[in-house]
Amino acid sequence: MLQQFFTTLLVSLYSLVQDLGLSIIVMTILIRSLLLPITLPTLKARKKLENIKPKLDKLKKKYGKNKKKMQKAQMELYKKYNINPLSGCLPQILQIIILIGLYRTLNDFLNQSQIQGLIIKPNFLWLDLTKPDHTYILPVLAAIIQFVLALMIAPGGEVRDIIPNKSKSKKKQQENKEEEDTAEMAKTMQQQMIFIMPLMTGFVAAKFPAGLALYWVITNGFSIIQQYFVSGWGGLEKYLYRIKLKLNL
């Protein structure tokens, strides 16, 4: 049903503009705009959680392994700052379902030359949207935009410190070393994913029809604008600061 709705919408847009690429761009922006009432509360909730992270870390330090006291203090902190940690789950699931439906619609659409009696011309700029972009312009652009988005939403580089570093107990010192090793490994994995995801996006976009690559470029570009208005440049800010220092801006 959802896929049929998207197909009808795309056919209607194509009937108006007579250009498949523009139809995909308009539909992607339209759908993402309609999803704003769902996505914005999720992003704002995530931002609130990031803002109170130092306070959560202090609670973890204070209560250590006492889970009951920690949970109680954590819930009181959430209540104080009006945060529901589960508020983003349902909207996120709904958003994923809608975006999967949109993706499938485009995939089916690009594999047919005629839909609902309408003959589809697949050309857009230099591209045949039903075939991979062999100039690699869209795949590279998709990878770059994915990289920028990944940097923006990347968590801070803070390392959680539950076990005191200055403890003289050998057992505590060993636990502290294990804690630091785990934190370092998690941080390394996060940094690797920042680079791996754009590479995967670029590789897949180069193999799939150019129409899907165009969709990824537009939808992730929309996500960057959306993320900026909610939380600014986020994790990208420190890199922009370094660039400004080097350029003496």
Side-chain angles (χ1 to χ4, degrees), residues 24-36:
I24 291 172
I25 292 170
V26 172
M27 186 175 78
T28 304
I29 293 173
L30 183 60
I31 297 301
R32 291 304 304 266
S33 299
L34 291 174
L35 284 173
L36 282 176

Side-chain angles (χ1 to χ4, degrees), residues 13-14 17-24 121 123-125 129:
L13 288 170
Y14 183 81
V17 300
Q18 293 296 309
D19 187 299
L20 184 55
L22 285 177
S23 300
I24 291 172
K121 295 178 183 178
N123 302 89
F124 176 67
L125 299 178
L129 295 178

Side-chain angles (χ1 to χ4, degrees), residues 8-75:
T8 302
L9 177 59
L10 190 54
V11 168
S12 300
L13 288 170
Y14 183 81
S15 300
L16 287 173
V17 300
Q18 293 296 309
D19 187 299
L20 184 55
L22 285 177
S23 300
I24 291 172
I25 292 170
V26 172
M27 186 175 78
T28 304
I29 293 173
L30 183 60
I31 297 301
R32 291 304 304 266
S33 299
L34 291 174
L35 284 173
L36 282 176
I38 298 173
T39 55
L40 285 180
T42 303
L43 292 175
K44 287 176 181 177
R46 186 194 298 166
K47 179 63 178 175
K48 282 184 179 180
L49 285 171
E50 287 175 4
N51 289 339
I52 67 165
K53 188 179 183 302
K55 297 181 185 295
L56 282 173
D57 288 342
K58 284 182 182 179
L59 291 178
K60 288 169 185 174
K61 224 180 224 185
K62 181 178 179 181
Y63 295 109
K65 294 182 179 180
N66 192 325
K67 291 183 179 180
K68 286 187 177 179
K69 287 186 176 180
M70 177 61 203
Q71 287 175 354
K72 184 179 178 181
Q74 190 171 333
M75 292 309 296

Side-chain angles (χ1 to χ4, degrees), residues 143 146-147 150 192-203:
Q146 178 67 54
F147 181 59
Q192 287 175 346
M193 288 305 296
I194 288 173
F195 293 95
I196 290 171
M197 282 303 294
L199 288 173
M200 288 177 60
T201 299
F203 177 77

Side-chain angles (χ1 to χ4, degrees), residues 3 16 22 51 65 79 138 169-170 188 205 211 214 231 241:
Q3 196 167 334
L16 287 173
L22 285 177
N51 289 339
K65 294 182 179 180
K79 187 176 180 181
L138 277 181
S169 166
K170 287 186 177 180
T188 301
L214 178 63
S231 58
Y241 179 71

